Amino acid sequence: MRHVIIGAGAVGGAIGGRLAEAGQDVVLVARGAHYEALRERGLRLTTPEGTRVHRLPVVDRPEALELDADDVLLLAVKTQDSVAALDAWSARPVAGAGGATAGEALPLVCAQNGVEGERLALRRFRRVYGMCVWLPATHVEPGEVVASCAPYTGMLHLGRYPSGGDGTARALAASLEKARLLAPLAQDVMRWKYAKLLSNLVNAIEAVTGPLGEESHDLVERTQAEGRAVLAVAGIPFASHEEQATARGDLVSFAPTGGPPRGGGSSWQSLSRGTGTIEADYLNGEIALLGRLHGVPTPVNDILQRVAGTFARERRPAGSLTVAELTALVDGR
């Protein structure tokens, strides 16, 4: 099995680097300055165990890689970048697959926040797998990723989409487990992903106001309570907080890395790098969508989606709004 990591940023880079350390076959896919750094200097992955540089094959577009029937594609781009990536990769021919394309012949794993990636993928790929990513990592600068947890780097619940499991899921889980990445097989993987969605609703708060603390407690509670209410009305099950905590236990805990301090989560990192986009449309926006479909008002998540999107488009600095100012916007003051 060759692991093609489409989007070798924080999460993709950490997974790819750990797989490589375990002797697995890995190809990284990246763009721009990150691609150039990976090609010229390799992937510099820092974990609590130290820093290692991995000289791995890297490409910047699907046409630069000949796909094989034993490949598995791990999609680790942000959801807002999914359609372009899925369109580009699904149409690629696969050697040894009787003329089939990647969308027809290869498994694709959505290693992403949110719950929309799998639906987008299933329009283009016959075999889609969900992955609930609990892997705190930071894309520090081109070519460099820091993953901050030990003794395992992350927990990646994995299963066939929309449900079930198969030999591909078992084989991929075995590869990940050898790479200090816990990969529990889940027949109901989307139940875990909806639970992660609830925790990711606060990403927008962190992105625009900075690290979450006591001052943001009430707004965090309101945001997640609104999400839970919408999922309840929509009849969508999700793993409880207690179930998630029990699964992780002390197996995936923050530990010193000796590298740069962790600044924030994925949305904060998007604003910090000035990418011009942010995943709020598929996090807070998912709750807003479900609310509209089921007649449940979602004013808190509506505002968070709008404010985060404005910050991204205008390339406003991460953390440049106070919690009081954001709360006033939510309350219409």
Side-chain angles (χ1 to χ4, degrees):
M1 178 181 286
R2 183 174 66 168
H3 308 78
V4 180
I5 313 292
I6 304 171
V11 168
I15 293 174
R18 279 307 207 186
L19 285 168
E21 288 175 15
Q24 304 293 323
D25 197 0
V26 177
V27 177
L28 304 179
V29 182
R31 298 178 299 177
H34 190 44
Y35 162 73
E36 295 295 340
L38 292 171
R39 184 173 63 87
E40 294 173 7
R41 302 188 297 275
L43 170 66
R44 182 180 174 88
L45 176 62
T46 297
T47 69
E49 302 158 32
T51 298
R52 296 184 182 180
V53 176
H54 302 283
R55 304 289 304 195
L56 300 172
V58 57
V59 299
D60 62 350
R61 61 194 185 281
E63 294 78 11
L65 181 67
E66 181 176 317
L67 294 174
D68 186 82
D70 291 329
D71 288 341
V72 59
L73 308 180
L74 277 79
L75 185 69
V77 302
K78 297 290 198 305
T79 307
Q80 64 267 27
D81 298 320
S82 291
V83 169
L86 290 166
D87 283 347
W89 285 91
S90 63
R92 294 298 300 158
V94 178
T101 64
E104 295 165 332
L106 296 185
L108 180 127
V109 181
C110 293
Q112 301 169 295
N113 287 334
V115 295
E116 182 65 15
E118 287 80 4
R119 282 176 51 84
L120 295 173
L122 199 60
R123 294 177 186 273
R124 297 159 176 86
F125 283 81
R126 292 180 180 175
R127 296 161 60 200
V128 174
Y129 300 77
M131 178 179 281
C132 180
V133 178
W134 182 269
L135 197 170
T138 304
H139 180 187
V140 179
E141 59 183 38
E144 183 171 352
V145 171
V146 175
S148 308
C149 286
Y152 290 90
T153 299
M155 177 169 280
L156 310 171
H157 281 84
L158 175 67
R160 187 79 182 254
Y161 178 78
S163 63
D166 58 17
T168 297
R170 290 191 293 273
L172 178 56
S175 294
L176 294 167
E177 294 272 1
K178 294 175 184 175
R180 302 186 72 82
L181 292 161
L182 293 168
L185 292 171
Q187 295 286 322
D188 54 354
V189 68
M190 296 310 293
R191 191 171 69 90
W192 290 90
K193 295 204 69 166
Y194 274 102
K196 181 75 183 329
L197 170 67
L198 290 175
S199 68
N200 286 145
L201 295 179
V202 306
N203 287 15
I205 302 174
E206 179 190 57
V208 302
T209 68
L212 302 179
E214 186 62 32
E215 184 183 13
S216 54
H217 176 78
D218 287 345
L219 188 54
V220 166
E221 286 295 310
R222 291 171 62 187
T223 302
Q224 293 182 325
E226 193 174 88
R228 289 191 296 270
V230 168
L231 294 185
V233 172
I236 297 173
F238 56 90
S240 68
H241 176 76
E242 293 75 19
E243 189 176 0
Q244 296 175 76
T246 298
R248 288 193 297 272
D250 58 0
L251 297 173
V252 186
S253 302
F254 283 100
T257 64
R262 177 174 166 81
S266 56
S267 296
W268 184 92
Q269 292 178 49
S270 292
L271 293 186
S272 296
R273 295 201 306 273
T275 62
T277 67
I278 198 166
E279 57 192 342
D281 284 348
Y282 298 97
L283 301 177
N284 308 94
E286 180 68 28
I287 297 303
L289 170 62
L290 288 171
R292 292 162 193 162
L293 289 173
H294 295 277
V296 181
T298 58
V300 178
N301 282 279
D302 289 351
I303 293 297
L304 292 179
Q305 179 186 2
R306 177 172 64 81
V307 172
T310 299
F311 262 64
R313 287 189 298 274
E314 297 179 356
R315 290 178 165 78
R316 295 174 61 180
S320 58
L321 197 68
T322 68
V323 174
E325 289 170 332
L326 181 57
T327 301
L329 290 173
V330 168
D331 291 338
R333 293 187 273 112

